Amino acid sequence: MFKIAVMAALLAFSPCQESLTLIIESAVYAQILEDGHIYSDKKMLHPVGNVAKGDVVEVLEDFSATIYKVLTKNGNEGWLASTKIQIYPDAPTDKTSLTPAQLEGFVNSKGYESTTNYLVLVEINRQKTHVFQGSFEAWSLLKSFDCSTGKHTSPTVKGAFTLSQRGDWLYSRRFKSGATHWIRFYKDYLFHSIPMDEKGNIITGEDVVGQKLSNGCVRFLLDDIKWIYQNIPDGTRVVIL
């Protein structure tokens, strides 16, 4: 009877159930350095909550690493200056790999939908981006890519977004770097190539993926972002965890 029960339990434990424990949402945390407020927007004029010295908050978004949107222990969201928090170091990249069945089981169990025949999942913990083809609860893994997301001081936003705009080239004088094949998924957050200088040359030391290096965008090697740019249309749902 014991063997039968064990076999039944193993059969019931599907790749979908296993994936729910293997794919986890990333988080960046910080400690509050002094009593104060969080504010409704980046101008920090209208307080929407209080924070106390020693509180731990989750960092959700940044603006030039000078202002941060945080989530408090009471569930309030608001902005505060970088001088008010100490951001904890990142955890190392998870080097374990998932099978196609595990990845498909995860996205199909979550009920993700897209207005196109594609779905994109970014795993911040593993620094992986997965592209699925299909439809609601019938997604099949098409490709997986190594990527680089935001540093802990400039984290990539998490949530469900939609690809909405794209271009062949961009250059940011603020960050003194450019990139090819950019695709917007939320505000100023983009998919794009590894960084380049103003003349289109890859910047030495920035030509790597698989670790958190960016200012919040999701970076890819040249051939990988070119494939995404050419094959994944606007309107595609992007899930970042």
Side-chain angles (χ1 to χ4, degrees), residues 38 63 87 89 127 166-168 200 209 216:
I38 56 174
F63 179 73
I87 298 176
Q127 295 292 283
R166 63 187 63 208
D168 294 334
V209 291

Side-chain angles (χ1 to χ4, degrees), residues 167-199:
D168 294 334
W169 169 254
L170 64 83
Y171 187 80
S172 170
R173 298 197 179 279
R174 178 159 60 103
F175 294 118
K176 297 181 179 179
S177 68
T180 64
H181 299 100
W182 61 268
I183 314 173
R184 188 183 312 280
F185 62 87
Y186 173 73
K187 295 182 179 179
D188 292 333
Y189 292 86
L190 314 171
F191 289 166
H192 61 64
S193 72
I194 51 179
M196 300 177 175
D197 63 22
E198 199 166 2
K199 296 181 179 179

Side-chain angles (χ1 to χ4, degrees), residues 33-87:
L33 297 178
E34 59 184 68
D35 295 349
H37 305 292
I38 56 174
Y39 298 86
S40 60
D41 56 36
K42 299 184 189 72
K43 294 181 180 180
M44 296 191 295
L45 298 176
H46 306 290
V48 292
N50 300 317
V51 288
K53 181 178 179 179
D55 283 353
V56 175
V57 296
E58 182 179 355
V59 178
L60 303 177
E61 190 176 338
D62 81 291
F63 179 73
S64 297
T66 59
I67 307 171
Y68 289 91
K69 186 178 184 180
V70 301
L71 174 66
T72 72
K73 61 184 179 181
N74 297 322
N76 295 324
E77 292 185 9
W79 294 85
L80 78 175
S82 61
T83 55
K84 306 295 183 182
I85 59 175
Q86 180 178 1
I87 298 176

